[in-house]
């Protein structure tokens, strides 16, 4: 590992080790020149390959012939932001620090700055950090209406950081936190960084889009059902470690009671319902397009169902609003019953009332006639009884 270039009076030392630290003397005749070599060794856990949310451990070691100086360590991430480390062990020979939880955007070249006043040391030590993870938010929420088409997408950063080591993953879905997950697809990456996906579930109606950006996991729900709601979790696995990203799918449906055209003077109940709990800053709203303020109704906090009683036909819309932003809207057209239909309904009502009145009158007449016949029969029976009694009296005389 040592070589001498006599022309330049240089000593070359390759593949430095901590044990190479010390004082080197160059003698030329009666002349002697001494040079002190101070060596640093920087090591990062997992060889610099991390998953999202993992915390790297950084070890800095030093060696020299003179007493070891007390070092000041400053760290900068790949975006040149200063990082405050957490020291686990601090001796003059060995410094062990923990960095922050990593995110996908932290991939790149970090810098460890080493400072000392005596002896004077000002050294920058670069080191590489690769973070494999998702570019999605921690918990993404997606809204959809019944019978619409939804594409759920997870964006990986494996292409950006040129991650060619093999990793695998799977996509699971479950409606509730306590429910058993349903495995939808498996995927893996080749040495060239290409993703291959395999559909696992045959009972769930979803598709794998063919055209999509590299390092993207997608599922397409061509016709959303109300019970398709829940958590869709994409999980990566690399060397026995895991990282996951979730998308919460919330589905909206609208129904009317009774169903059909709205007659004049009649009422109808419209119901708007979402499949899962809403965040505190979200609510439902019913309103009639081109209507008045009286046609607007908002849900209370934590309500997942909103009903409104209407008497006016037209286009009614249910909105899901989050932070003053309309996430989804469901439009429901209420037709007004035709005039002849109203007349038929009115006629049927009047006819029904007349029929009921006629039946009532017939019942009254029948009842009165029956009562009269009963009274007449009673009087005749009393008369016969009277005549029989009189005849008996005459016979006795």
């Amino acid at each position: 590992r040592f070589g001498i270039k006599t022309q330049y009076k240089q000593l070359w030392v390759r593949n430095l080790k901590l044990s190479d630290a010390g004082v080197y003397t160059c003698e030329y005749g009666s002349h002697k020149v001494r040079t002190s070599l101070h060596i640093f060794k920087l090591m990062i856990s997992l060889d610099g390959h991390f998953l999202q949310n993992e915390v790297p451990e950084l070890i800095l070691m030093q060696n020299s012939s003179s007493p070891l100086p007390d070092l000041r360590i400053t760290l900068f991430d790949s975006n040149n932001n200063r990082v405050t480390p957490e020291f686990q062990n601090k001796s003059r020979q060995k410094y062990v620090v923990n960095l922050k939880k990593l995110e996908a955007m932290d991939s790149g070249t970090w810098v460890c700055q080493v400072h000392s006043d005596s002896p004077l040391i000002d050294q920058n030590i670069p080191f590489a950090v690769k973070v494999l993870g998702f570019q999605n938010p921690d918990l993404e929420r997606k809204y959809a209406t019944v019978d619409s088409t939804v594409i759920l997408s997870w964006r990986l950063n494996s292409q950006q950081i040129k991650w060619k080591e093999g990793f695998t993953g799977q996509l699971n879905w479950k409606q509730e936190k306590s429910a058993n997950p349903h495995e939808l697809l498996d995927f893996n990456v080749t040495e060239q960084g290409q993703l291959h996906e395999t559909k696992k579930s045959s009972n769930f109606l979803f598709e794998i889009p063919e055209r999509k950006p590299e390092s993207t996991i997608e599922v397409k729900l061509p016709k959303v059902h109300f019970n398709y709601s829940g958590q869709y979790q994409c999980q990566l696995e690399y060397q026995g470690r895991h990282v996951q990203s979730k998308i919460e799918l919330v589905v909206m449906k609208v129904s009317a009671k009774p169903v059909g055209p709205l007659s004049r003077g009649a009422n109808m109940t419209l119901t708007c319902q979402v499949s899962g709990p809403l965040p505190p800053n979200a609510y439902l709203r019913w309103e009639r397009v081109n209507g008045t303020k009286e046609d607007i109704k908002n849900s209370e906090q934590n309500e997942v169902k909103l009903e409104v009683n209407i008497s006016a036909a037209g286009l009614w819309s249910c909105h899901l609003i989050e932070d003053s932003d309309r996430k989804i809207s469901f439009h429901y057209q209420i037709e007004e019953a035709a005039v002849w239909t109203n007349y038929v309904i009115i006629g049927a009502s009047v006819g029904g009332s007349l029929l009921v009145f006629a039946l009532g009158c017939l019942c009254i007449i029948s009842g009165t006639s029956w009562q009269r016949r009963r009274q007449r029969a009673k009087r005749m029976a009393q008369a016969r009884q009277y005549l029989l009694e009189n005849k008996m009296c005459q016979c006795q005389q």
Side-chain angles (χ1 to χ4, degrees):
R1 296 187 298 117
F2 295 86
I4 298 177
K5 291 187 177 181
T6 56
Q7 181 181 359
Y8 303 101
K9 300 181 176 61
Q10 292 179 341
L11 173 67
W12 287 79
V13 185
R14 298 176 179 84
N15 299 325
L16 285 174
K17 300 179 180 179
L18 284 174
S19 58
D20 294 331
V23 177
Y24 290 78
T25 303
C26 178
E27 296 183 359
Y28 181 75
S30 59
H31 300 280
K32 291 184 179 180
V33 179
R34 290 182 175 86
T35 300
S36 178
L37 179 61
H38 194 120
I39 296 180
F40 295 100
K41 182 179 182 180
L42 183 68
M43 296 179 292
I44 186 170
S45 57
L46 300 176
D47 197 27
H49 289 74
F50 301 95
L51 294 180
Q52 198 170 353
N53 296 325
E54 290 184 334
V55 178
E57 182 183 73
L58 199 66
I59 300 176
L60 178 66
M61 303 180 69
Q62 65 171 335
N63 190 16
S64 68
S65 59
S66 58
L68 295 175
D70 188 11
L71 302 177
R72 297 192 308 273
I73 298 176
T74 307
L75 294 171
F76 294 90
D77 63 13
S78 59
N79 300 309
N80 204 28
N81 297 319
R82 185 168 179 172
V83 178
T84 302
E86 178 183 350
F87 285 87
Q88 298 295 322
N89 181 25
K90 186 177 180 181
S91 64
R92 293 198 172 188
Q93 184 178 7
K94 184 177 182 180
Y95 296 79
V96 181
V97 298
N98 287 339
L99 307 184
K100 64 175 183 177
K101 278 188 176 181
L102 295 176
E103 300 178 5
M105 64 182 66
D106 291 327
S107 294
T109 301
W110 290 46
V111 175
C112 176
Q113 290 186 352
V114 181
H115 304 273
S116 173
D117 296 329
S118 180
L120 182 60
I121 299 175
D122 191 3
Q123 185 75 28
N124 290 341
I125 306 176
F127 59 97
V129 174
K130 285 189 176 183
V131 185
L132 177 64
F134 299 92
Q135 296 174 307
N136 300 55
D138 290 338
L139 179 57
E140 189 175 353
R141 185 175 283 106
K142 191 99 172 180
Y143 297 109
T145 56
V146 170
D147 293 334
S148 64
T149 297
V150 175
I151 294 180
L152 305 179
S153 178
W154 287 264
R155 300 174 301 278
L156 305 178
N157 66 337
S158 58
Q159 288 287 337
Q160 296 178 3
I161 61 177
K162 298 180 180 179
W163 190 293
K164 294 184 179 180
E165 294 83 355
F167 63 86
T168 61
Q170 60 183 12
L171 176 62
N172 300 324
W173 163 69
K174 59 181 180 179
Q175 286 187 272
E176 300 175 358
K177 292 183 179 180
S178 58
N180 294 325
H182 303 275
E183 187 176 354
L184 300 185
L185 61 88
D186 287 343
F187 59 89
N188 57 54
V189 65
T190 63
E191 293 182 356
Q192 292 76 26
Q194 300 295 325
L195 279 172
H196 291 278
E197 300 162 325
T198 304
K199 190 172 181 180
K200 301 292 289 185
S201 175
S202 58
N203 300 324
F204 192 76
L205 300 179
F206 75 97
E207 302 173 5
I208 302 176
E210 295 182 1
R211 295 182 180 180
K212 56 189 173 183
E214 293 292 338
S215 298
T216 300
I217 306 298
E218 287 185 351
V219 294
K220 179 181 179 181
L221 309 179
K223 195 171 184 180
V224 176
H225 297 176
F226 192 69
N227 60 354
Y228 282 7
S229 62
Q231 286 189 353
Y232 292 78
Q233 176 177 284
C234 188
Q235 177 176 279
L236 292 178
E237 180 179 350
Y238 178 68
Q239 295 183 349
R241 293 132 54 200
H242 301 83
V243 64
Q244 55 274 337
S245 175
K246 297 178 182 178
I247 295 180
E248 181 82 20
L249 180 62
V250 179
V251 183
M252 174 191 286
K253 68 177 180 179
V254 169
S255 60
K257 187 178 181 181
V259 179
L262 181 62
S263 303
R264 290 182 181 179
N267 291 327
M268 179 183 291
T269 300
L270 296 179
T271 302
C272 180
Q273 183 178 357
V274 292
S275 58
L278 297 176
N281 56 341
Y283 60 94
L284 299 174
R285 168 181 288 178
W286 268 118
E287 67 177 3
R288 184 163 67 99
V289 178
N290 298 326
T292 63
K293 292 183 178 180
E294 286 73 18
D295 296 327
I296 298 177
K297 183 178 180 182
N298 295 332
S299 66
E300 300 293 335
Q301 187 175 359
N302 299 326
E303 279 188 344
V304 296
K305 180 189 290 187
L306 179 62
E307 294 183 348
V308 60
N309 293 320
I310 66 170
S311 58
L315 182 61
W316 288 79
S317 299
C318 180
H319 309 290
L320 196 157
I321 302 175
E322 183 178 351
D323 288 332
S324 301
D325 182 24
R326 291 183 181 181
K327 295 297 183 180
I328 51 172
S329 298
F330 201 119
H331 306 292
Y332 199 90
Q333 181 70 42
I334 304 297
E335 300 290 344
E336 186 176 2
V339 176
W340 66 269
T341 305
N342 291 328
Y343 289 156
V344 169
I345 295 175
I346 294 173
S349 301
V350 173
S353 300
L354 292 175
L355 179 61
V356 171
F357 179 74
L359 290 175
C361 293
L362 181 61
C363 290
I364 293 173
I365 294 172
S366 300
T368 303
S369 177
W370 179 77
Q371 186 70 20
R372 287 178 180 176
R373 287 196 301 270
R374 184 178 179 185
Q375 290 179 355
R376 188 182 302 112
K378 185 177 181 180
R379 287 196 299 268
M380 292 178 63
Q382 290 176 351
R384 285 195 297 269
Q385 184 68 26
Y386 177 76
L387 290 174
L388 288 175
E389 290 178 354
N390 288 339
K391 287 182 180 181
M392 290 177 65
C393 293
Q394 292 175 0
C395 293
Q396 290 177 359
Q397 291 178 359

